[in-house]
mmCIF file of all heavy atoms in Angstrom:
data_model
loop_
_atom_site.group_PDB
_atom_site.id
_atom_site.type_symbol
_atom_site.label_atom_id
_atom_site.label_comp_id
_atom_site.label_asym_id
_atom_site.label_seq_id
_atom_site.Cartn_x
_atom_site.Cartn_y
_atom_site.Cartn_z
ATOM 1 N N ALA A 287 -33.988 -34.617 -40.035
ATOM 2 C CA ALA A 287 -33.759 -35.911 -40.667
ATOM 3 C C ALA A 287 -32.330 -36.323 -40.479
ATOM 4 O O ALA A 287 -31.414 -35.492 -40.540
ATOM 5 C CB ALA A 287 -34.089 -35.849 -42.147
ATOM 6 N N TRP A 288 -32.146 -37.597 -40.198
ATOM 7 C CA TRP A 288 -30.778 -38.185 -40.036
ATOM 8 C C TRP A 288 -30.697 -39.396 -40.935
ATOM 9 O O TRP A 288 -31.609 -40.230 -40.910
ATOM 10 C CB TRP A 288 -30.525 -38.575 -38.615
ATOM 11 C CG TRP A 288 -30.580 -37.471 -37.608
ATOM 12 C CD1 TRP A 288 -29.585 -36.601 -37.311
ATOM 13 C CD2 TRP A 288 -31.721 -37.038 -36.849
ATOM 14 N NE1 TRP A 288 -30.008 -35.724 -36.336
ATOM 15 C CE2 TRP A 288 -31.307 -35.963 -36.069
ATOM 16 C CE3 TRP A 288 -33.031 -37.486 -36.747
ATOM 17 C CZ2 TRP A 288 -32.177 -35.302 -35.179
ATOM 18 C CZ3 TRP A 288 -33.882 -36.841 -35.871
ATOM 19 C CH2 TRP A 288 -33.459 -35.786 -35.104
ATOM 20 N N LEU A 289 -29.666 -39.464 -41.699
ATOM 21 C CA LEU A 289 -29.369 -40.636 -42.528
ATOM 22 C C LEU A 289 -28.068 -41.219 -41.995
ATOM 23 O O LEU A 289 -27.055 -40.517 -42.006
ATOM 24 C CB LEU A 289 -29.238 -40.253 -43.996
ATOM 25 C CG LEU A 289 -28.837 -41.353 -44.963
ATOM 26 C CD1 LEU A 289 -29.863 -42.466 -44.957
ATOM 27 C CD2 LEU A 289 -28.588 -40.811 -46.373
ATOM 28 N N VAL A 290 -28.115 -42.467 -41.546
ATOM 29 C CA VAL A 290 -26.916 -43.149 -41.038
ATOM 30 C C VAL A 290 -26.612 -44.288 -42.039
ATOM 31 O O VAL A 290 -27.426 -45.167 -42.274
ATOM 32 C CB VAL A 290 -27.175 -43.714 -39.622
ATOM 33 C CG1 VAL A 290 -25.942 -44.419 -39.081
ATOM 34 C CG2 VAL A 290 -27.621 -42.592 -38.657
ATOM 35 N N GLU A 291 -25.405 -44.242 -42.572
ATOM 36 C CA GLU A 291 -25.000 -45.197 -43.601
ATOM 37 C C GLU A 291 -23.808 -45.987 -43.114
ATOM 38 O O GLU A 291 -22.807 -45.439 -42.634
ATOM 39 C CB GLU A 291 -24.610 -44.467 -44.887
ATOM 40 C CG GLU A 291 -25.716 -43.694 -45.549
ATOM 41 C CD GLU A 291 -25.243 -42.903 -46.702
ATOM 42 O OE1 GLU A 291 -25.282 -43.441 -47.819
ATOM 43 O OE2 GLU A 291 -24.836 -41.729 -46.478
ATOM 44 N N ASP A 292 -23.882 -47.306 -43.309
ATOM 45 C CA ASP A 292 -22.787 -48.242 -43.023
ATOM 46 C C ASP A 292 -21.858 -48.192 -44.239
ATOM 47 O O ASP A 292 -22.295 -48.512 -45.378
ATOM 48 C CB ASP A 292 -23.358 -49.635 -42.797
ATOM 49 C CG ASP A 292 -22.476 -50.495 -41.988
ATOM 50 O OD1 ASP A 292 -21.471 -50.022 -41.438
ATOM 51 O OD2 ASP A 292 -22.834 -51.681 -41.803
ATOM 52 N N LEU A 293 -20.593 -47.853 -44.056
ATOM 53 C CA LEU A 293 -19.639 -47.743 -45.125
ATOM 54 C C LEU A 293 -18.553 -48.843 -44.998
ATOM 55 O O LEU A 293 -18.349 -49.372 -43.908
ATOM 56 C CB LEU A 293 -18.958 -46.397 -45.133
ATOM 57 C CG LEU A 293 -19.882 -45.174 -45.316
ATOM 58 C CD1 LEU A 293 -19.070 -43.896 -45.203
ATOM 59 C CD2 LEU A 293 -20.583 -45.231 -46.629
ATOM 60 N N PRO A 294 -17.871 -49.132 -46.082
ATOM 61 C CA PRO A 294 -16.776 -50.120 -46.012
ATOM 62 C C PRO A 294 -15.688 -49.678 -45.024
ATOM 63 O O PRO A 294 -15.518 -48.514 -44.765
ATOM 64 C CB PRO A 294 -16.219 -50.164 -47.438
ATOM 65 C CG PRO A 294 -17.267 -49.551 -48.319
ATOM 66 C CD PRO A 294 -18.051 -48.641 -47.427
ATOM 67 N N GLY A 295 -14.976 -50.638 -44.517
ATOM 68 C CA GLY A 295 -13.840 -50.305 -43.639
ATOM 69 C C GLY A 295 -14.251 -49.939 -42.200
ATOM 70 O O GLY A 295 -13.508 -49.271 -41.542
ATOM 71 N N GLY A 296 -15.440 -50.367 -41.808
ATOM 72 C CA GLY A 296 -15.896 -50.089 -40.422
ATOM 73 C C GLY A 296 -16.222 -48.617 -40.206
ATOM 74 O O GLY A 296 -16.225 -48.127 -39.088
ATOM 75 N N ARG A 297 -16.544 -47.890 -41.283
ATOM 76 C CA ARG A 297 -16.876 -46.532 -41.193
ATOM 77 C C ARG A 297 -18.406 -46.280 -41.241
ATOM 78 O O ARG A 297 -19.137 -47.128 -41.747
ATOM 79 C CB ARG A 297 -16.242 -45.719 -42.319
ATOM 80 C CG ARG A 297 -14.729 -45.770 -42.279
ATOM 81 C CD ARG A 297 -14.037 -45.084 -43.467
ATOM 82 N NE ARG A 297 -14.520 -45.679 -44.703
ATOM 83 C CZ ARG A 297 -14.890 -44.972 -45.780
ATOM 84 N NH1 ARG A 297 -14.827 -43.645 -45.787
ATOM 85 N NH2 ARG A 297 -15.347 -45.565 -46.877
ATOM 86 N N VAL A 298 -18.798 -45.164 -40.729
ATOM 87 C CA VAL A 298 -20.222 -44.774 -40.733
ATOM 88 C C VAL A 298 -20.301 -43.331 -41.162
ATOM 89 O O VAL A 298 -19.521 -42.492 -40.737
ATOM 90 C CB VAL A 298 -20.863 -44.948 -39.357
ATOM 91 C CG1 VAL A 298 -22.298 -44.403 -39.331
ATOM 92 C CG2 VAL A 298 -20.840 -46.383 -38.908
ATOM 93 N N ARG A 299 -21.279 -43.036 -42.027
ATOM 94 C CA ARG A 299 -21.517 -41.635 -42.448
ATOM 95 C C ARG A 299 -22.866 -41.233 -41.900
ATOM 96 O O ARG A 299 -23.875 -41.942 -42.035
ATOM 97 C CB ARG A 299 -21.513 -41.500 -43.957
ATOM 98 C CG ARG A 299 -21.860 -40.086 -44.398
ATOM 99 C CD ARG A 299 -21.750 -39.815 -45.893
ATOM 100 N NE ARG A 299 -22.059 -40.950 -46.687
ATOM 101 C CZ ARG A 299 -21.373 -41.276 -47.809
ATOM 102 N NH1 ARG A 299 -20.314 -40.620 -48.179
ATOM 103 N NH2 ARG A 299 -21.732 -42.333 -48.518
ATOM 104 N N VAL A 300 -22.879 -40.044 -41.253
ATOM 105 C CA VAL A 300 -24.153 -39.498 -40.723
ATOM 106 C C VAL A 300 -24.413 -38.202 -41.478
ATOM 107 O O VAL A 300 -23.577 -37.274 -41.456
ATOM 108 C CB VAL A 300 -24.089 -39.230 -39.231
ATOM 109 C CG1 VAL A 300 -25.366 -38.571 -38.720
ATOM 110 C CG2 VAL A 300 -23.781 -40.519 -38.434
ATOM 111 N N THR A 301 -25.554 -38.064 -42.156
ATOM 112 C CA THR A 301 -25.947 -36.882 -42.838
ATOM 113 C C THR A 301 -27.214 -36.361 -42.121
ATOM 114 O O THR A 301 -28.133 -37.100 -41.798
ATOM 115 C CB THR A 301 -26.334 -37.191 -44.304
ATOM 116 O OG1 THR A 301 -25.200 -37.814 -44.935
ATOM 117 C CG2 THR A 301 -26.687 -35.925 -45.050
ATOM 118 N N THR A 302 -27.183 -35.043 -41.808
ATOM 119 C CA THR A 302 -28.319 -34.456 -41.118
ATOM 120 C C THR A 302 -28.859 -33.322 -41.967
ATOM 121 O O THR A 302 -28.136 -32.674 -42.697
ATOM 122 C CB THR A 302 -27.932 -33.874 -39.731
ATOM 123 O OG1 THR A 302 -27.035 -32.780 -39.924
ATOM 124 C CG2 THR A 302 -27.276 -34.913 -38.882
ATOM 125 N N GLN A 303 -30.174 -33.163 -41.880
ATOM 126 C CA GLN A 303 -30.860 -32.033 -42.535
ATOM 127 C C GLN A 303 -31.912 -31.499 -41.569
ATOM 128 O O GLN A 303 -32.439 -32.226 -40.754
ATOM 129 C CB GLN A 303 -31.557 -32.428 -43.827
ATOM 130 C CG GLN A 303 -30.613 -32.786 -44.955
ATOM 131 C CD GLN A 303 -31.363 -33.072 -46.241
ATOM 132 O OE1 GLN A 303 -32.479 -33.610 -46.220
ATOM 133 N NE2 GLN A 303 -30.752 -32.734 -47.304
ATOM 134 N N GLU A 304 -32.185 -30.213 -41.728
ATOM 135 C CA GLU A 304 -33.169 -29.591 -40.861
ATOM 136 C C GLU A 304 -33.878 -28.509 -41.662
ATOM 137 O O GLU A 304 -33.325 -27.839 -42.500
ATOM 138 C CB GLU A 304 -32.452 -28.961 -39.669
ATOM 139 C CG GLU A 304 -33.352 -28.120 -38.803
ATOM 140 C CD GLU A 304 -32.541 -27.370 -37.761
ATOM 141 O OE1 GLU A 304 -31.929 -28.027 -36.918
ATOM 142 O OE2 GLU A 304 -32.523 -26.148 -37.812
ATOM 143 N N THR A 305 -35.148 -28.306 -41.319
ATOM 144 C CA THR A 305 -35.904 -27.175 -41.833
ATOM 145 C C THR A 305 -36.685 -26.571 -40.688
ATOM 146 O O THR A 305 -37.103 -27.268 -39.764
ATOM 147 C CB THR A 305 -36.844 -27.593 -42.989
ATOM 148 O OG1 THR A 305 -37.472 -26.427 -43.488
ATOM 149 C CG2 THR A 305 -37.920 -28.574 -42.545
ATOM 150 N N GLN A 306 -36.798 -25.272 -40.708
ATOM 151 C CA GLN A 306 -37.492 -24.546 -39.652
ATOM 152 C C GLN A 306 -38.429 -23.550 -40.276
ATOM 153 O O GLN A 306 -38.067 -22.866 -41.234
ATOM 154 C CB GLN A 306 -36.482 -23.769 -38.782
ATOM 155 C CG GLN A 306 -35.431 -24.622 -38.174
ATOM 156 C CD GLN A 306 -34.417 -23.779 -37.390
ATOM 157 O OE1 GLN A 306 -34.609 -22.634 -37.051
ATOM 158 N NE2 GLN A 306 -33.301 -24.392 -37.074
ATOM 159 N N ILE A 307 -39.634 -23.461 -39.741
ATOM 160 C CA ILE A 307 -40.636 -22.516 -40.243
ATOM 161 C C ILE A 307 -41.240 -21.834 -39.033
ATOM 162 O O ILE A 307 -41.527 -22.492 -38.020
ATOM 163 C CB ILE A 307 -41.737 -23.258 -41.044
ATOM 164 C CG1 ILE A 307 -41.089 -23.973 -42.248
ATOM 165 C CG2 ILE A 307 -42.807 -22.304 -41.493
ATOM 166 C CD1 ILE A 307 -42.036 -24.904 -42.977
ATOM 167 N N GLY A 308 -41.518 -20.544 -39.147
ATOM 168 C CA GLY A 308 -42.203 -19.816 -38.093
ATOM 169 C C GLY A 308 -41.307 -18.807 -37.402
ATOM 170 O O GLY A 308 -40.092 -18.794 -37.552
ATOM 171 N N GLN A 309 -41.909 -17.953 -36.611
ATOM 172 C CA GLN A 309 -41.218 -16.879 -35.941
ATOM 173 C C GLN A 309 -40.171 -17.392 -34.921
ATOM 174 O O GLN A 309 -39.048 -16.850 -34.923
ATOM 175 C CB GLN A 309 -42.216 -15.945 -35.263
ATOM 176 C CG GLN A 309 -41.595 -14.701 -34.660
ATOM 177 C CD GLN A 309 -40.823 -13.885 -35.728
ATOM 178 O OE1 GLN A 309 -41.204 -13.813 -36.888
ATOM 179 N NE2 GLN A 309 -39.720 -13.278 -35.327
ATOM 180 N N PRO A 310 -40.455 -18.396 -34.078
ATOM 181 C CA PRO A 310 -39.439 -18.891 -33.178
ATOM 182 C C PRO A 310 -38.189 -19.356 -33.912
ATOM 183 O O PRO A 310 -37.048 -19.117 -33.514
ATOM 184 C CB PRO A 310 -40.117 -20.006 -32.433
ATOM 185 C CG PRO A 310 -41.572 -19.654 -32.470
ATOM 186 C CD PRO A 310 -41.778 -19.045 -33.853
ATOM 187 N N ALA A 311 -38.376 -20.075 -35.010
ATOM 188 C CA ALA A 311 -37.255 -20.583 -35.793
ATOM 189 C C ALA A 311 -36.507 -19.450 -36.419
ATOM 190 O O ALA A 311 -35.249 -19.464 -36.442
ATOM 191 C CB ALA A 311 -37.756 -21.543 -36.865
ATOM 192 N N ALA A 312 -37.166 -18.421 -36.912
ATOM 193 C CA ALA A 312 -36.507 -17.268 -37.525
ATOM 194 C C ALA A 312 -35.662 -16.515 -36.484
ATOM 195 O O ALA A 312 -34.569 -16.110 -36.732
ATOM 196 C CB ALA A 312 -37.523 -16.322 -38.139
ATOM 197 N N ALA A 313 -36.193 -16.441 -35.269
ATOM 198 C CA ALA A 313 -35.428 -15.763 -34.195
ATOM 199 C C ALA A 313 -34.194 -16.585 -33.844
ATOM 200 O O ALA A 313 -33.117 -16.009 -33.619
ATOM 201 C CB ALA A 313 -36.329 -15.582 -32.957
ATOM 202 N N LEU A 314 -34.298 -17.894 -33.757
ATOM 203 C CA LEU A 314 -33.130 -18.735 -33.463
ATOM 204 C C LEU A 314 -32.080 -18.599 -34.531
ATOM 205 O O LEU A 314 -30.875 -18.568 -34.232
ATOM 206 C CB LEU A 314 -33.528 -20.217 -33.376
ATOM 207 C CG LEU A 314 -34.080 -20.708 -32.016
ATOM 208 C CD1 LEU A 314 -34.495 -22.179 -32.158
ATOM 209 C CD2 LEU A 314 -33.069 -20.563 -30.913
ATOM 210 N N ALA A 315 -32.489 -18.504 -35.807
ATOM 211 C CA ALA A 315 -31.565 -18.419 -36.906
ATOM 212 C C ALA A 315 -30.708 -17.119 -36.831
ATOM 213 O O ALA A 315 -29.628 -17.069 -37.402
ATOM 214 C CB ALA A 315 -32.282 -18.509 -38.223
ATOM 215 N N GLN A 316 -31.233 -16.091 -36.169
ATOM 216 C CA GLN A 316 -30.505 -14.819 -36.095
ATOM 217 C C GLN A 316 -29.537 -14.764 -34.940
ATOM 218 O O GLN A 316 -28.680 -13.866 -34.855
ATOM 219 C CB GLN A 316 -31.510 -13.670 -35.972
ATOM 220 C CG GLN A 316 -32.450 -13.517 -37.129
ATOM 221 C CD GLN A 316 -31.712 -13.371 -38.459
ATOM 222 O OE1 GLN A 316 -30.776 -12.571 -38.594
ATOM 223 N NE2 GLN A 316 -32.062 -14.181 -39.447
ATOM 224 N N GLU A 317 -29.632 -15.720 -33.970
ATOM 225 C CA GLU A 317 -28.769 -15.707 -32.813
ATOM 226 C C GLU A 317 -27.321 -16.106 -33.199
ATOM 227 O O GLU A 317 -27.107 -16.897 -34.099
ATOM 228 C CB GLU A 317 -29.282 -16.673 -31.773
ATOM 229 C CG GLU A 317 -30.525 -16.202 -31.079
ATOM 230 C CD GLU A 317 -30.901 -17.101 -29.881
ATOM 231 O OE1 GLU A 317 -29.997 -17.674 -29.264
ATOM 232 O OE2 GLU A 317 -32.104 -17.179 -29.640
ATOM 233 N N ARG A 318 -26.388 -15.490 -32.524
ATOM 234 C CA ARG A 318 -24.956 -15.793 -32.753
ATOM 235 C C ARG A 318 -24.348 -16.038 -31.400
ATOM 236 O O ARG A 318 -24.423 -15.154 -30.555
ATOM 237 C CB ARG A 318 -24.201 -14.665 -33.456
ATOM 238 C CG ARG A 318 -24.758 -14.381 -34.855
ATOM 239 C CD ARG A 318 -24.424 -15.523 -35.811
ATOM 240 N NE ARG A 318 -24.872 -15.280 -37.153
ATOM 241 C CZ ARG A 318 -26.018 -15.725 -37.617
ATOM 242 N NH1 ARG A 318 -26.859 -16.360 -36.872
ATOM 243 N NH2 ARG A 318 -26.364 -15.498 -38.851
ATOM 244 N N PRO A 319 -23.732 -17.178 -31.127
ATOM 245 C CA PRO A 319 -23.667 -18.305 -32.048
ATOM 246 C C PRO A 319 -25.030 -18.946 -32.239
ATOM 247 O O PRO A 319 -25.877 -18.893 -31.361
ATOM 248 C CB PRO A 319 -22.676 -19.259 -31.351
ATOM 249 C CG PRO A 319 -22.783 -18.916 -29.921
ATOM 250 C CD PRO A 319 -23.107 -17.490 -29.863
ATOM 251 N N ASN A 320 -25.211 -19.611 -33.345
ATOM 252 C CA ASN A 320 -26.471 -20.256 -33.698
ATOM 253 C C ASN A 320 -26.713 -21.503 -32.838
ATOM 254 O O ASN A 320 -25.974 -22.460 -32.947
ATOM 255 C CB ASN A 320 -26.488 -20.579 -35.162
ATOM 256 C CG ASN A 320 -27.826 -21.120 -35.630
ATOM 257 O OD1 ASN A 320 -28.339 -22.100 -35.105
ATOM 258 N ND2 ASN A 320 -28.403 -20.448 -36.654
ATOM 259 N N PRO A 321 -27.748 -21.489 -31.977
ATOM 260 C CA PRO A 321 -27.921 -22.650 -31.061
ATOM 261 C C PRO A 321 -28.287 -23.926 -31.808
ATOM 262 O O PRO A 321 -27.965 -25.013 -31.325
ATOM 263 C CB PRO A 321 -29.077 -22.179 -30.143
ATOM 264 C CG PRO A 321 -29.763 -21.057 -30.896
ATOM 265 C CD PRO A 321 -28.724 -20.456 -31.776
ATOM 266 N N MET A 322 -28.939 -23.847 -32.965
ATOM 267 C CA MET A 322 -29.291 -25.062 -33.665
ATOM 268 C C MET A 322 -28.064 -25.702 -34.308
ATOM 269 O O MET A 322 -27.876 -26.898 -34.217
ATOM 270 C CB MET A 322 -30.349 -24.775 -34.737
ATOM 271 C CG MET A 322 -31.701 -24.380 -34.188
ATOM 272 S SD MET A 322 -32.385 -25.529 -32.960
ATOM 273 C CE MET A 322 -32.704 -26.939 -33.988
#
């Protein structure tokens, strides 16, 4: 999920969230550096 907000002063805020479920996601979470 990405939330893009228009802020005063010509600024923009981007908030990201992610959720992962399953064995492939669990394997990615263990990698260093984390590819996600």
Side-chain angles (χ1 to χ4, degrees):
W288 298 274
L289 175 62
V290 181
E291 298 174 90
D292 205 6
L293 299 176
R297 298 175 303 136
V298 174
R299 176 175 33 221
V300 178
T301 304
T302 66
Q303 290 185 327
E304 172 188 297
T305 185
Q306 303 176 16
I307 300 170
Q309 188 57 35
L314 276 177
Q316 298 305 311
E317 290 187 29
R318 298 291 181 264
N320 186 301
M322 293 306 293

